[in-house]
Amino acid sequence: MNTRVLRTELRRSVAPWAGALTLIVALAFLYLLSGPWWKGAAMWTAQWTSMALWTRSLLILLWPLALALGALQGLRDHRSKMAELLTSTPRPARHRAATTAGATVITLTASFAILVLQGAVQVAGGTSYTHLGWLPISLVAGLSLVAAAFLGMGIGRSLPSPLTPPALAVAAFVFLNLLRISTDVMTPGAAPPNRATLLSPAVQDVRNVFLTLSVPVHLGQTVWLLGMAATGFALLLAATRRTRLLAVAPVLVGAVIALLLFPADPRRAYVVDEAAAAPVCEGPVCVAKAHQDHLADLAGPGKKALTLLRDALGGAAPESVRESTAPRALLEQPERSRTAVLVDFDDRVFSQSRGEKMTRALVGQGLAPICSARSDSESGTLGEIAAQSVAAGWVLGDLEPIEGSVHAVSEQLQEAGPVLRELKALPWSEQIARVKAAHTAAVSCAGDPLEILDGGRSR
C-alpha cells in the first residue's frame, strides 16, 4: 500500500469522519444521555469483562453506523463520475481498494481502541483483579466494525445510490434489534434463542461481572466477520454481475461455519468466568476474586453476624458468609442457601453498607433472605425489607432501617415497628419459634416472613 496515497485518503476521504463520529456516538451514549445508558456509565468500568461487554453492547448503534459510513465511502467513485476512467488505468484495482478500505479501517479501529483504552484506564484504577480474558471480547468488537465498513463499501460500490447508506443503516439496526430481542437470555420467559441469533456482534447488557462469552462464540463470530469482510472487499473489486454474485460466497460460507461452531444451546453463549468467581476467604467469610477488595469491609461484620445468627437459630444458623456468583437474570429470583449468608454486591444494601450497618444487613439477610425477583439494584419488596428489619432488630435489640434499600426509612419503620413491638412482648419461646419459622419460610420461599413474625396476620 502506497503510504503517501494512504495519507491522502486519511485527509480527504470519509475515513476520518467515520472514526470521529463512531467515537462521539459511543461516548454520548455512555455519558450524556439518560435512561438505561446512564446506569451503564457507572457500571461499564466496574470490572474488565463488564467494560468489554458494555462496549460490545454499543455495537447495536455503532455497527449500523460503520456499515452506512462504509457505503458512503463506496459511493465516492460514482459521485466523482470517474469510475470508467479509473478502470482504464494500469494500476490494479485491488491496490486502490486496499488503500480506500485501509484508511477507513485505521480510523474505525483507532476510535474503538480509544473508547476501550478510556474504559481500561478507569478499570485499572478501580479494581485489584486484573486478567486478559476481556481482550477477545473487545477484539471481536473491533473486527465487527471493520467487517461492517468493508461490507458497506462493497455494497455502496455495487449499488451506487444516495439511498444506499441510510437504507443499510436502518436495515442493520432493525436486524440487530430483532436478534437482540430473541437472544435476551438474561430475562426469564424470553423466547428460546437459536444459533442464528448469535451472529449478532452486539451483546446483551450483562449485569453480572462473573459472566463472559464462551470460546465457541468468539470463534464462530470471528469466522463470520472475516467472511463478511472478504465479501465486502470482493464487491469492491467486482466488475461484472457474475463476480458480484461470487463475492457473496465468503459471507455465506462464514455464516455456515459460524453456526456449526456456536454452542448447541445458545443459552451457553454466556458462561461463568471461573477465575473471577473463585473464592477468596478470611475464615468463614468469602468473596469472589473479582471483588477481593471488598473482603476487608466484609470480614469483621460477617464474623460478628455469624455469631449472632448462631445465638438466634442454633443448629439451623448459616455457617459462612459468601458472595453469590450464580448467574441471575433480570427479574429472576436470587440464589438462596441454608448454610450461608449470600451477599450480592450489585445490591445497594451491601455495596453501600459498612461496619455496624453491614452487620445489621447480614443478620437480616441471614434470618430472612430475599425471595422476590429483583431488578438491577433493588433489595426486595417492602414486606421483605421490613421482615429483615424486624429480624435484625430482634437480634440487635433496636429497630433501624436497612441501609441502601430502595424503600424509604419511614416506610420500613411503619411496617416493621408494630411487628417488632408485638414480637418482643411474647414469651421467649414464642419469639424463637416465630423467628425460626420466618427463617424457614424465607429460605424456601414458602411463605411471608413478615406475616409469620406478626403471628400469621396478613398485612
Side-chain angles (χ1 to χ4, degrees):
M1 185 184 300
N2 191 304
T3 305
R4 185 176 61 183
V5 175
L6 179 60
R7 287 199 302 267
T8 302
E9 288 282 346
L10 289 172
R11 289 197 307 269
R12 299 180 180 179
S13 70
V14 178
W17 294 103
L21 188 58
T22 299
L23 182 60
I24 290 171
V25 169
L27 293 177
F29 270 83
L30 281 172
Y31 289 111
L32 300 181
L33 300 185
S34 60
W37 295 102
W38 186 255
K39 295 180 182 179
M43 293 176 61
W44 78 293
T45 54
Q47 297 289 343
W48 291 100
T49 301
S50 58
M51 180 273 292
L53 288 171
W54 270 101
T55 52
R56 273 287 289 271
S57 70
L58 291 176
L59 292 180
I60 197 74
L61 293 170
L62 301 185
W63 199 80
L65 180 63
L67 189 67
L69 290 170
L72 186 62
Q73 180 83 313
L75 290 175
R76 185 175 60 175
D77 291 350
H78 176 74
R79 293 197 310 269
S80 63
K81 299 179 181 180
M82 295 174 55
E84 185 176 350
L85 174 62
L86 291 172
T87 56
S88 65
T89 61
R91 187 185 180 193
R94 63 180 180 276
H95 289 179
R96 192 167 176 277
T99 304
T100 302
T104 304
V105 167
I106 289 172
T107 57
L108 283 176
T109 303
S111 66
F112 191 76
I114 291 172
L115 178 67
V116 173
L117 181 61
Q118 180 187 6
V121 169
Q122 296 183 59
V123 173
T127 181
S128 58
Y129 174 61
T130 304
H131 64 103
L132 297 178
W134 61 275
L135 274 177
I137 301 173
S138 293
L139 290 175
V140 172
L143 176 61
S144 72
L145 293 178
V146 171
F150 269 63
L151 184 63
M153 284 185 279
I155 295 176
R157 188 178 186 281
S158 301
L159 300 173
S161 167
L163 298 178
T164 298
L168 282 179
V170 172
F173 184 74
V174 171
F175 173 70
L176 291 184
N177 274 279
L178 289 175
L179 293 183
R180 186 185 184 89
I181 293 172
S182 60
T183 56
D184 196 0
V185 298
M186 300 297 291
T187 301
N194 54 63
R195 292 186 184 185
T197 60
L198 297 178
L199 292 173
S200 171
V203 300
Q204 293 297 123
D205 302 335
V206 175
R207 300 168 176 85
N208 190 324
V209 298
F210 305 114
L211 288 182
T212 187
L213 287 171
S214 63
V215 173
V217 174
H218 291 317
L219 293 177
Q221 290 182 341
T222 298
V223 171
W224 150 249
L225 293 170
L226 288 174
M228 184 185 299
T231 288
F233 194 75
L235 286 174
L236 278 175
L237 302 179
T240 65
R241 183 177 181 180
R242 181 182 178 184
T243 53
R244 291 192 184 101
L245 290 175
L246 291 175
V248 180
V251 70
L252 296 179
V253 172
V256 171
I257 296 175
L259 293 174
L260 295 175
L261 290 174
F262 287 149
D265 180 5
R267 296 184 191 277
R268 295 294 301 163
Y270 293 98
V271 295
V272 174
D273 184 343
E274 299 296 340
V280 178
C281 301
E282 184 176 321
V285 180
C286 299
V287 298
K289 189 173 183 180
H291 289 149
Q292 59 188 2
D293 51 329
H294 291 290
L295 184 58
D297 293 327
L298 187 65
K303 294 173 183 177
K304 182 177 179 180
L306 291 175
T307 300
L308 294 171
L309 290 171
R310 280 194 296 270
D311 294 339
L313 298 175
E319 299 173 355
S320 63
V321 175
R322 66 174 174 86
E323 182 177 0
S324 175
T325 58
R328 178 175 67 84
L330 188 65
L331 302 180
E332 185 177 48
Q333 288 184 341
E335 180 188 9
R336 293 176 304 284
S337 172
R338 295 182 182 276
T339 60
V341 180
L342 299 179
V343 175
D344 182 357
F345 289 114
D346 287 334
D347 187 333
R348 289 185 294 193
V349 166
F350 299 109
S351 64
Q352 297 181 4
S353 297
R354 299 290 186 275
E356 292 300 320
K357 293 177 180 180
M358 176 67 83
T359 301
R360 184 176 295 272
L362 291 171
V363 171
Q365 177 71 358
L367 289 173
I370 298 298
C371 182
S372 66
R374 297 186 294 172
S375 64
D376 283 348
S377 58
E378 290 182 340
S379 308
T381 65
L382 176 57
E384 288 176 317
I385 292 299
Q388 288 193 349
S389 298
V390 170
W394 179 78
V395 170
L396 296 171
D398 59 338
L399 179 62
E400 291 187 13
I402 299 295
E403 291 290 330
S405 170
V406 294
H407 303 290
V409 170
S410 59
E411 294 177 332
Q412 293 186 51
L413 296 180
Q414 183 179 358
E415 288 287 317
V419 178
L420 181 59
R421 286 193 294 271
E422 180 179 336
L423 180 63
K424 285 187 172 182
L426 296 172
W428 181 251
S429 59
E430 179 64 18
Q431 294 182 41
I432 290 289
R434 285 194 186 184
V435 170
K436 289 184 176 180
H439 171 69
T440 301
V443 170
S444 60
C445 283
D448 184 347
L450 185 62
E451 184 177 328
I452 294 172
L453 291 169
D454 199 25
R457 286 189 287 273
S458 177
R459 300 184 65 81

